[in-house]
């Protein structure tokens, strides 16, 4: 299941949503179901802060995640963010989250990304030629495998760090919040046996929640 609660969602409405989901999915009496537990956790935000482990994605994806983390912090939740030594936007020091920095050999090439963005903007403004459009497609094709390789490097560094895995297991997090653009957060939630919540809105194929559901 992939779900989101709108801002200002009242506890009574949240409980009605839980019972509705339980009825529609034959979960009557199943308060231990992961979906129900996650909803109860979110509904309790005003009276009991939870411990949230966040596995975000760099770049523009972080802008959206950062807004959500600020709101969760204001609701009293304790937040820990995983980042790499090559992070651009995800800072090690923050007033509203703690961070865990994972050492990696390489990160995204900032100039390469800027080149892609410039071509995208030119296309949107109608200032691009067919040759530039083809060049952009080739750059994107080059970017995707590099990005996947970098995510794999970070995931490998995390899982091979026994001290880090021990610390994460002992920290008793309530759930993992992740951006599903890459799979590291999903694998981590599975490894730690924690409920998983996606923070996604739009992806390249359309509305994110509907696509992932």
């Amino acid at each position: 299941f992939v779900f989101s609660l709108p801002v200002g969602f009242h506890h009574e409405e949240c409980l009605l949503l839980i019972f509705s989901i339980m009825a529609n999915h034959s979960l009557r009496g199943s308060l231990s179901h992961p979906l129900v537990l996650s909803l109860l956790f979110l509904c309790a935000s005003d009276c009991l802060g939870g411990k949230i482990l966040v596995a975000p994605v760099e770049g523009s994806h972080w802008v959206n995640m950062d807004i959500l983390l600020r709101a969760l912090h204001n609701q009293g939740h304790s937040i820990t963010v995983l980042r790499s030594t090559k992070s651009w936007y995800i800072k090690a020091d923050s007033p509203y989250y703690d961070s865990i920095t994972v050492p990696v050999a390489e990160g995204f090439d900032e100039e390469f990304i800027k080149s892609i963005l410039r071509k995208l903007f030119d296309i949107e403004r109608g200032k691009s030629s067919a040759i530039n459009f083809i060049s952009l497609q080739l750059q994107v094709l080059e970017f995707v495998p590099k990005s996947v390789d970098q995510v794999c490097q970070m995931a490998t560094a995390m899982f091979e760090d026994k001290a880090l895995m021990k610390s994460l297991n002992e920290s008793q997090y309530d759930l993992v919040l992740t951006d599903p653009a890459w799979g590291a957060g999903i694998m981590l939630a599975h490894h730690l046996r924690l409920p998983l919540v996606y923070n996604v809105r739009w992806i390249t194929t359309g509305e994110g929640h509907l696509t992932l559901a």
Side-chain angles (χ1 to χ4, degrees), residues 14-153:
C14 185
L15 291 173
L16 287 173
L17 174 61
I18 292 173
F19 293 134
S20 174
I21 291 173
M22 291 173 67
N24 291 334
H25 295 280
S26 300
L27 299 176
R28 291 182 180 85
S30 182
L31 289 175
S32 62
H33 191 277
L35 174 62
V36 177
L37 288 173
S38 297
L39 281 169
L40 287 171
F41 167 77
L42 290 173
C43 288
S45 61
D46 287 336
C47 56
L48 180 63
K51 294 185 67 175
I52 304 173
L53 180 61
V54 184
V57 172
E58 265 290 354
S60 60
H61 290 247
W62 171 249
V63 175
N64 181 48
M65 181 69 84
D66 187 50
I67 293 171
L68 178 59
L69 298 187
R70 290 172 185 267
L72 289 169
H73 170 75
N74 290 338
Q75 291 291 323
H77 296 295
S78 173
I79 302 166
T80 301
V81 174
L82 289 164
R83 61 185 296 278
S84 79
T85 48
K86 302 295 184 179
S87 289
W88 297 350
Y89 301 114
I90 308 171
K91 305 302 181 184
D93 299 318
S94 170
Y96 52 92
Y97 66 77
D98 296 319
S99 67
I100 296 173
T101 302
V102 179
V104 295
E106 60 179 311
F108 293 117
D109 184 339
E110 189 168 357
E111 290 305 316
F112 183 75
I113 300 298
K114 286 181 179 179
S115 173
I116 291 178
L117 290 175
R118 280 193 293 267
K119 290 179 180 178
L120 278 172
F121 292 151
D122 285 343
I123 290 172
E124 290 296 324
R125 293 165 181 164
K127 299 179 180 179
S128 182
S129 66
I131 293 176
N132 283 340
F133 179 78
I134 294 172
S135 173
L136 172 63
Q137 301 309 308
L138 292 175
Q139 278 187 289
V140 171
L141 288 174
E142 181 184 352
F143 170 73
V144 171
K146 283 185 177 180
S147 301
V148 172
D149 183 59
Q150 289 165 9
V151 171
C152 289
Q153 286 183 32

Side-chain angles (χ1 to χ4, degrees), residues 185-197:
I186 300 168
M187 291 187 289
L188 185 61
H190 178 74
H191 178 78
L192 298 175
R193 298 181 180 181
L194 291 173
L196 174 65
V197 176

